[in-house]
Amino acid sequence: STSDSIFKYVRSALQESSFQFQDDWAGVISGQTEALYDWISVNLASGALPLDSSSSLDSLVGAADLGGASAQVAYPVSSLNRNDPGVVLLSLPTKDGHRVKVPIYAVSRLRYGMYEAHRQILSSWTEPIFPCDIHGGESLDSNKIGTGRFNECVDLIGTFFVRSERKGLGDLLPQEAKRPPPRRSDMKLYAIDN
């Protein structure tokens, strides 16, 4: 298969490099693992990690990776939600050498990346004027005229996600699409695109 050929090439290149490497170290990670790596990277970059102490959890932020076809979301939740679907208990180091277990909601949602969600919203839009495309820009649908009306687009996206949550996200049933609330209601969420 194509993926086998790619991995064969990657493994060969890494074996010949100066990196310490074993063949079984190369593989495809799960979407949840990708969400966790995003979350750790964003919290390191924002200075929230490593934690000052076990009482410094309020500095942690959320991360949303807006890929093309899928989106990964990760954020800390209350310890009351540690057994909820999608929640992983991470053991994080503190600056004083201790470790703190932090429940992180981390999920990957296929078909909810930036381009795929845009395509879904556009295909359900029946009007000739579309607020989420820039006027004069290239549209995914040549029958639509973009207006670039930000607030109307935000409302349309919100409606799309509320409707999707009610009937389930992609392959998920509605109960699987539920998400626990963030640990803090005023938590910052950083959106990235890799």
Side-chain angles (χ1 to χ4, degrees), residues 86-166:
V87 175
V88 175
L89 203 57
L90 283 185
S91 178
L92 300 174
T94 61
K95 290 179 181 174
D96 60 9
H98 295 94
R99 296 193 80 74
V100 178
K101 292 192 182 220
V102 181
I104 306 295
Y105 175 70
V107 294
S108 179
R109 296 293 185 240
L110 205 54
R111 293 192 285 282
Y112 287 85
M114 194 164 47
Y115 298 117
E116 184 59 23
H118 180 265
R119 188 194 63 70
Q120 288 183 65
I121 293 168
L122 183 63
S123 68
S124 68
W125 189 255
T126 58
E127 303 294 321
I129 306 283
F130 186 60
C132 296
D133 282 341
I134 296 172
H135 180 69
E138 187 176 322
S139 175
L140 292 177
D141 184 336
S142 60
N143 297 325
K144 307 275 191 244
I145 299 169
T147 62
R149 293 185 180 142
F150 179 77
N151 291 335
E152 290 177 30
C153 183
V154 168
D155 290 343
L156 183 60
I157 292 168
T159 301
F160 168 72
F161 278 102
V162 167
R163 187 177 66 240
S164 296
E165 242 184 21
R166 269 194 225 121

Side-chain angles (χ1 to χ4, degrees), residues 43 46-49 51-52 56-61 184:
N43 278 275
S46 73
L49 291 178
L51 296 167
D52 286 328
S56 63
L57 297 179
D58 285 346
S59 63
L60 296 173
V61 299
R184 289 185 3 258

Side-chain angles (χ1 to χ4, degrees), residues 26-46:
V28 176
I29 62 173
S30 71
Q32 185 176 53
T33 299
E34 183 179 358
L36 288 169
Y37 286 166
D38 289 338
W39 183 83
I40 291 168
S41 299
V42 164
N43 278 275
L44 281 167
S46 73

